[in-house]
mmCIF file of all heavy atoms in Angstrom:
data_model
loop_
_atom_site.group_PDB
_atom_site.id
_atom_site.type_symbol
_atom_site.label_atom_id
_atom_site.label_comp_id
_atom_site.label_asym_id
_atom_site.label_seq_id
_atom_site.Cartn_x
_atom_site.Cartn_y
_atom_site.Cartn_z
ATOM 1 N N ARG A 121 -6.175 16.561 46.466
ATOM 2 C CA ARG A 121 -7.579 16.978 46.422
ATOM 3 C C ARG A 121 -8.439 15.840 46.954
ATOM 4 O O ARG A 121 -8.075 14.664 46.858
ATOM 5 C CB ARG A 121 -8.010 17.330 44.994
ATOM 6 C CG ARG A 121 -7.159 18.376 44.342
ATOM 7 C CD ARG A 121 -7.639 18.721 42.940
ATOM 8 N NE ARG A 121 -8.811 19.583 42.950
ATOM 9 C CZ ARG A 121 -9.296 20.171 41.853
ATOM 10 N NH1 ARG A 121 -8.719 19.976 40.680
ATOM 11 N NH2 ARG A 121 -10.358 20.954 41.933
ATOM 12 N N ALA A 122 -9.569 16.206 47.508
ATOM 13 C CA ALA A 122 -10.462 15.190 48.077
ATOM 14 C C ALA A 122 -11.001 14.264 46.995
ATOM 15 O O ALA A 122 -11.119 13.048 47.187
ATOM 16 C CB ALA A 122 -11.608 15.871 48.823
ATOM 17 N N VAL A 123 -11.338 14.842 45.822
ATOM 18 C CA VAL A 123 -11.850 14.043 44.711
ATOM 19 C C VAL A 123 -10.810 14.024 43.610
ATOM 20 O O VAL A 123 -10.433 15.074 43.077
ATOM 21 C CB VAL A 123 -13.177 14.625 44.168
ATOM 22 C CG1 VAL A 123 -13.682 13.789 43.002
ATOM 23 C CG2 VAL A 123 -14.222 14.673 45.284
ATOM 24 N N LYS A 124 -10.328 12.848 43.281
ATOM 25 C CA LYS A 124 -9.313 12.706 42.235
ATOM 26 C C LYS A 124 -9.447 11.330 41.602
ATOM 27 O O LYS A 124 -10.090 10.429 42.155
ATOM 28 C CB LYS A 124 -7.911 12.871 42.826
ATOM 29 C CG LYS A 124 -7.600 11.880 43.947
ATOM 30 C CD LYS A 124 -6.312 12.252 44.651
ATOM 31 C CE LYS A 124 -6.078 11.315 45.850
ATOM 32 N NZ LYS A 124 -4.896 11.727 46.635
ATOM 33 N N ILE A 125 -8.849 11.185 40.438
ATOM 34 C CA ILE A 125 -8.894 9.909 39.723
ATOM 35 C C ILE A 125 -7.679 9.083 40.092
ATOM 36 O O ILE A 125 -6.539 9.558 40.033
ATOM 37 C CB ILE A 125 -8.917 10.135 38.200
ATOM 38 C CG1 ILE A 125 -10.154 10.940 37.806
ATOM 39 C CG2 ILE A 125 -8.876 8.807 37.464
ATOM 40 C CD1 ILE A 125 -11.467 10.279 38.159
ATOM 41 N N THR A 126 -7.902 7.843 40.487
ATOM 42 C CA THR A 126 -6.824 6.918 40.818
ATOM 43 C C THR A 126 -6.968 5.670 39.954
ATOM 44 O O THR A 126 -7.953 4.938 40.069
ATOM 45 C CB THR A 126 -6.868 6.522 42.304
ATOM 46 O OG1 THR A 126 -6.703 7.692 43.105
ATOM 47 C CG2 THR A 126 -5.753 5.551 42.625
ATOM 48 N N LEU A 127 -6.007 5.456 39.072
ATOM 49 C CA LEU A 127 -6.005 4.288 38.198
ATOM 50 C C LEU A 127 -4.989 3.270 38.681
ATOM 51 O O LEU A 127 -3.998 3.606 39.325
ATOM 52 C CB LEU A 127 -5.683 4.714 36.752
ATOM 53 C CG LEU A 127 -6.640 5.737 36.139
ATOM 54 C CD1 LEU A 127 -6.171 6.119 34.739
ATOM 55 C CD2 LEU A 127 -8.056 5.185 36.089
ATOM 56 N N ASN A 128 -5.246 2.009 38.365
ATOM 57 C CA ASN A 128 -4.393 0.924 38.845
ATOM 58 C C ASN A 128 -3.031 0.920 38.150
ATOM 59 O O ASN A 128 -2.936 1.069 36.940
ATOM 60 C CB ASN A 128 -5.075 -0.428 38.597
ATOM 61 C CG ASN A 128 -6.317 -0.604 39.435
ATOM 62 O OD1 ASN A 128 -6.395 -0.083 40.542
ATOM 63 N ND2 ASN A 128 -7.294 -1.318 38.913
ATOM 64 N N MET A 129 -1.983 0.737 38.939
ATOM 65 C CA MET A 129 -0.634 0.577 38.402
ATOM 66 C C MET A 129 -0.348 -0.917 38.230
ATOM 67 O O MET A 129 -0.834 -1.744 38.997
ATOM 68 C CB MET A 129 0.385 1.191 39.355
ATOM 69 C CG MET A 129 0.149 2.663 39.657
ATOM 70 S SD MET A 129 0.442 3.722 38.239
ATOM 71 C CE MET A 129 2.233 3.600 38.121
ATOM 72 N N GLY A 130 0.441 -1.256 37.236
ATOM 73 C CA GLY A 130 0.853 -2.645 37.038
ATOM 74 C C GLY A 130 -0.205 -3.527 36.420
ATOM 75 O O GLY A 130 -0.027 -4.738 36.331
ATOM 76 N N ARG A 131 -1.307 -2.959 35.976
ATOM 77 C CA ARG A 131 -2.376 -3.743 35.365
ATOM 78 C C ARG A 131 -2.376 -3.533 33.855
ATOM 79 O O ARG A 131 -2.118 -2.434 33.369
ATOM 80 C CB ARG A 131 -3.728 -3.309 35.935
ATOM 81 C CG ARG A 131 -4.926 -3.873 35.192
ATOM 82 C CD ARG A 131 -6.230 -3.258 35.684
ATOM 83 N NE ARG A 131 -7.322 -3.519 34.768
ATOM 84 C CZ ARG A 131 -8.542 -2.982 34.866
ATOM 85 N NH1 ARG A 131 -8.811 -2.168 35.864
ATOM 86 N NH2 ARG A 131 -9.469 -3.269 33.987
ATOM 87 N N ASP A 132 -2.653 -4.587 33.102
ATOM 88 C CA ASP A 132 -2.733 -4.479 31.646
ATOM 89 C C ASP A 132 -4.109 -3.976 31.227
ATOM 90 O O ASP A 132 -5.134 -4.522 31.651
ATOM 91 C CB ASP A 132 -2.478 -5.842 30.987
ATOM 92 C CG ASP A 132 -1.027 -6.280 31.095
ATOM 93 O OD1 ASP A 132 -0.206 -5.462 31.547
ATOM 94 O OD2 ASP A 132 -0.725 -7.427 30.732
ATOM 95 N N TYR A 133 -4.135 -2.928 30.397
ATOM 96 C CA TYR A 133 -5.378 -2.365 29.880
ATOM 97 C C TYR A 133 -5.480 -2.615 28.377
ATOM 98 O O TYR A 133 -4.471 -2.601 27.670
ATOM 99 C CB TYR A 133 -5.438 -0.855 30.126
ATOM 100 C CG TYR A 133 -5.660 -0.460 31.559
ATOM 101 C CD1 TYR A 133 -4.591 -0.365 32.453
ATOM 102 C CD2 TYR A 133 -6.937 -0.164 32.035
ATOM 103 C CE1 TYR A 133 -4.791 0.021 33.777
ATOM 104 C CE2 TYR A 133 -7.140 0.224 33.353
ATOM 105 C CZ TYR A 133 -6.063 0.305 34.218
ATOM 106 O OH TYR A 133 -6.264 0.673 35.521
ATOM 107 N N GLU A 134 -6.697 -2.804 27.888
ATOM 108 C CA GLU A 134 -6.901 -3.001 26.463
ATOM 109 C C GLU A 134 -6.734 -1.694 25.708
ATOM 110 O O GLU A 134 -7.034 -0.619 26.210
ATOM 111 C CB GLU A 134 -8.294 -3.588 26.205
ATOM 112 C CG GLU A 134 -8.470 -4.998 26.749
ATOM 113 C CD GLU A 134 -9.814 -5.591 26.380
ATOM 114 O OE1 GLU A 134 -10.607 -4.893 25.717
ATOM 115 O OE2 GLU A 134 -10.066 -6.749 26.746
ATOM 116 N N MET A 135 -6.273 -1.807 24.466
ATOM 117 C CA MET A 135 -5.958 -0.634 23.665
ATOM 118 C C MET A 135 -7.186 0.130 23.169
ATOM 119 O O MET A 135 -7.146 1.341 23.010
ATOM 120 C CB MET A 135 -5.119 -1.046 22.445
ATOM 121 C CG MET A 135 -3.712 -1.472 22.771
ATOM 122 S SD MET A 135 -2.707 -0.049 23.268
ATOM 123 C CE MET A 135 -1.100 -0.824 23.379
ATOM 124 N N ASN A 136 -8.264 -0.570 22.876
ATOM 125 C CA ASN A 136 -9.366 0.074 22.156
ATOM 126 C C ASN A 136 -10.455 0.647 23.052
ATOM 127 O O ASN A 136 -11.532 0.980 22.561
ATOM 128 C CB ASN A 136 -9.987 -0.922 21.165
ATOM 129 C CG ASN A 136 -10.295 -2.265 21.810
ATOM 130 O OD1 ASN A 136 -10.428 -2.340 23.029
ATOM 131 N ND2 ASN A 136 -10.408 -3.292 21.002
#
Side-chain angles (χ1 to χ4, degrees):
R121 304 181 77 170
V123 179
K124 58 190 175 185
I125 299 300
T126 299
L127 301 177
N128 293 329
M129 303 291 289
R131 169 188 165 188
D132 289 352
Y133 288 84
E134 294 185 359
M135 289 289 187
N136 49 22

